[in-house]
Amino acid sequence: VTVALHGDIAQLTLDASGDALNKRGYRTLNGEAPLRETLAAALVELSPWQPGLPLYDPMCGSGTLPIEAAMRMAHRAPGLMRAFACEQWHFMPKDAMRLAREEAHAAFDPSLCEGICASDIDPQAIALSKVHLRQAGLEGRVRFEVRDMRQVQLGGERGAFLLNPPYGERLLDRKACEGLYRDLSFLARRHPGWSMSIISSHPAFERCYGRRADKKRRFYNGRLE
């Protein structure tokens, strides 16, 4: 129960979710500097990628971005495999909640998911990604592999890169990150028909990358802008 006061108005609310909504239920093992699942879902929605177009994450970490894209493609409800606090309320219609879950399970079709691939230079990150993919009910529907981003060379005239590279806050120092950003520009040049969507907290990212972004959005990953 939460009480909020604004001027002479008090607002009383009940927390219907319990655990935070970014906790989808599939990500139980986190690597370093994980991206919140809700933020990852927002990035997928805002990127130029659409189901049917190849999607590649060359720095996938624990796999959150490609898994969220696969969930969207397979019509998997975000809360399909987690509980909500309201399910325990005595006045919540049990049949309605049961029906909602049944409809969500019926809509989920992993066979619809194809064309999503991801890689990371860290074998442990790929192992985490595969565990999370299995826990999301999408085992085998995203291709994960150990690969250095500088060695990525993909076929196809069109596609979308979507990634969350290290920021230099916790994982690597800033100089190393700036080198990675320059390498990302080379990746884009090797794939002229592919879009490149990147989230970064580094204020000089565009300078390191070598060009200005066509479009910018402001987000927060926790308290990190």
Side-chain angles (χ1 to χ4, degrees):
V1 179
T2 302
V3 178
L5 300 175
H6 182 70
D8 60 353
I9 296 176
Q11 185 179 55
L12 182 69
T13 58
L14 293 175
D15 180 1
S17 61
D19 285 338
L21 288 175
N22 66 285
K23 296 182 179 179
R24 315 284 216 195
Y26 68 84
R27 200 173 75 179
T28 56
L29 304 168
N30 286 331
E32 295 183 82
L35 192 65
R36 286 189 177 184
E37 295 94 315
T38 41
L39 177 55
L43 296 175
V44 169
E45 290 284 342
L46 289 170
S47 77
W49 175 77
Q50 293 292 329
L53 191 68
L55 177 69
Y56 196 97
D57 181 352
M59 296 181 181
C60 67
S62 57
T64 309
L65 279 169
I67 291 174
E68 288 292 331
M71 286 168 52
R72 177 184 170 190
M73 203 170 189
H75 305 304
R76 180 196 183 279
L80 188 64
M81 299 178 183
R82 58 157 285 170
F84 294 88
C86 63
E87 293 177 277
Q88 303 302 316
W89 295 350
H90 68 85
F91 54 84
M92 179 61 68
K94 302 299 182 183
D95 289 342
M97 292 296 295
R98 178 181 52 77
L99 180 60
R101 283 200 176 274
E102 288 176 354
E103 290 176 347
H105 276 285
F108 179 35
D109 186 357
S111 69
L112 297 174
C113 183
E114 59 181 19
I116 301 176
C117 304
S119 59
D120 199 282
I121 197 172
D122 182 2
Q124 185 176 6
I126 294 301
L128 286 178
S129 296
K130 290 179 178 179
V131 169
H132 292 158
L133 186 67
R134 183 176 68 251
Q135 292 179 166
L138 290 161
E139 186 171 14
R141 294 298 172 178
V142 176
R143 181 165 61 86
F144 287 107
E145 62 182 354
V146 178
R147 185 187 290 189
D148 189 324
M149 176 269 297
R150 291 168 287 240
Q151 298 173 350
V152 171
Q153 182 67 61
L154 307 175
E157 295 182 356
R158 294 180 63 244
F161 288 109
L162 178 60
L163 61 149
N164 171 38
Y167 305 155
E169 299 286 340
R170 288 171 283 180
L171 291 177
L172 299 172
D173 60 39
R174 290 241 161 171
K175 291 295 182 183
C177 284
E178 289 171 1
L180 279 177
Y181 302 157
R182 285 190 291 272
D183 290 334
L184 282 173
S185 69
F186 298 139
L187 175 65
R189 290 173 201 171
R190 294 197 300 272
H191 301 83
W194 286 58
S195 63
M196 179 72 75
S197 301
I198 302 167
I199 182 170
S200 176
S201 71
H202 196 305
F205 176 86
E206 290 165 296
R207 176 177 57 78
C208 299
Y209 184 80
R211 62 166 288 184
R212 289 188 177 275
D214 299 309
K215 189 179 292 185
K216 289 191 212 179
R217 303 265 187 167
R218 179 176 292 178
F219 295 99
Y220 285 85
N221 188 27
R223 295 183 179 182
L224 194 62
E225 182 181 358

